[in-house]
Amino acid sequence: GDCVLMRPSDSDKPPYVARVENIEADHQNSVKVRVQWYYRPEEVAGGCKQFPGTKELFLSDHYDVQSAHAIEGKCKVHSFKNYTKLENMGPKDYFCRFEYEAATGEFTLDRVTVYCKCKMPYNPDDLMVQCEECKDWFHPSCMGMTIEEAKKLDYFLCSDCSSEHDAAQPLNTVHVSPSRELKVK
């Protein structure tokens, strides 16, 4: 059940990530591990999708038997929800929210929440701002802002909510007391 980093045959590639299903020794006392592979976004059919985070993995239906000597060390694959709550992410922390069928190249998606006008799933590598009115989350670029501009906001209203407010207020910003903080993801 532990997740491990497996040494690739090409030393220029990052280690593969797998979940150990079974450990056994053969008749020559050679230790083998049966693993279930995780795929990185760039390893799936069709290449990297737009929304995955840099530490995102997809649990596949691909099983294999490997030499235990190929294990470089342990790593941790968190659920997406737990990953986003981590205070200190290390280089061996990953997350998984989708399953991948290696033979067909298709994803098994339960229900995926989408955000912003672009209707993409949340990527923990991308800054998002929350509208104070409707409580939806938005990418600054989809709202016509730079990340630097978004980080300087005290208060954010999306374009839908700002059109419903007093036309005298500047679009997307309202100055409030310093005690209020902008909510960012």
Side-chain angles (χ1 to χ4, degrees):
D2 287 338
C3 292
V4 294
L5 298 171
M6 302 286 290
R7 187 176 307 103
S9 56
D10 181 351
S11 61
D12 291 336
K13 288 187 173 186
Y16 296 113
V17 181
R19 182 167 62 195
V20 176
E21 296 292 317
N22 192 17
I23 302 171
E24 35 184 75
D26 63 15
H27 61 280
Q28 298 170 347
N29 286 331
S30 179
V31 180
K32 302 283 186 188
V33 289
R34 184 173 196 276
V35 297
Q36 182 177 13
W37 294 108
Y38 283 94
Y39 280 56
R40 287 188 166 82
E42 61 272 16
E43 296 169 337
V44 300
C48 187
K49 308 297 180 212
Q50 182 180 354
F51 62 85
T54 56
K55 303 295 289 282
E56 185 158 9
L57 302 171
F58 307 117
L59 182 62
S60 77
D61 59 350
H62 177 189
Y63 291 84
D64 203 359
V65 176
Q66 296 286 314
S67 167
H69 294 292
I71 296 174
E72 290 184 357
K74 285 178 70 171
C75 64
K76 181 74 175 166
V77 179
H78 304 270
S79 70
F80 179 70
K81 183 178 181 179
N82 289 343
Y83 181 83
T84 59
K85 293 179 181 178
L86 287 178
E87 290 188 23
N88 297 311
M89 290 178 221
K92 294 182 180 180
D93 284 307
Y94 298 91
F95 71 91
C96 178
R97 60 180 158 179
F98 303 119
E99 292 183 7
Y100 176 70
E101 295 179 26
T104 63
E106 294 180 1
F107 289 93
T108 304
L109 306 174
D110 287 332
R111 211 165 140 189
V112 180
T113 304
V114 294
Y115 298 93
C116 192
K117 294 176 3 179
C118 64
K119 302 292 184 208
M120 294 300 293
Y122 174 58
N123 177 344
D125 298 329
D126 293 339
L127 174 80
M128 295 186 86
V129 292
Q130 186 179 37
C131 176
E132 296 292 333
E133 186 72 25
C134 67
K135 305 299 184 199
D136 285 341
W137 290 91
F138 297 88
H139 299 108
S141 60
C142 293
M143 300 308 294
M145 290 183 276
T146 66
I147 290 173
E148 293 74 29
E149 290 169 332
K151 287 180 178 180
K152 292 177 184 174
L153 291 175
D154 293 322
Y155 192 86
F156 171 74
L157 290 178
C158 69
S159 54
D160 290 342
C161 293
S162 66
S163 66
E164 296 172 9
H165 282 70
D166 184 358
Q169 293 178 348
L171 184 63
N172 291 339
T173 60
V174 175
H175 294 288
V176 294
S177 66
S179 63
R180 298 227 18 212
E181 293 182 7
L182 173 68
K183 293 185 182 110
V184 294
K185 254 190 184 184

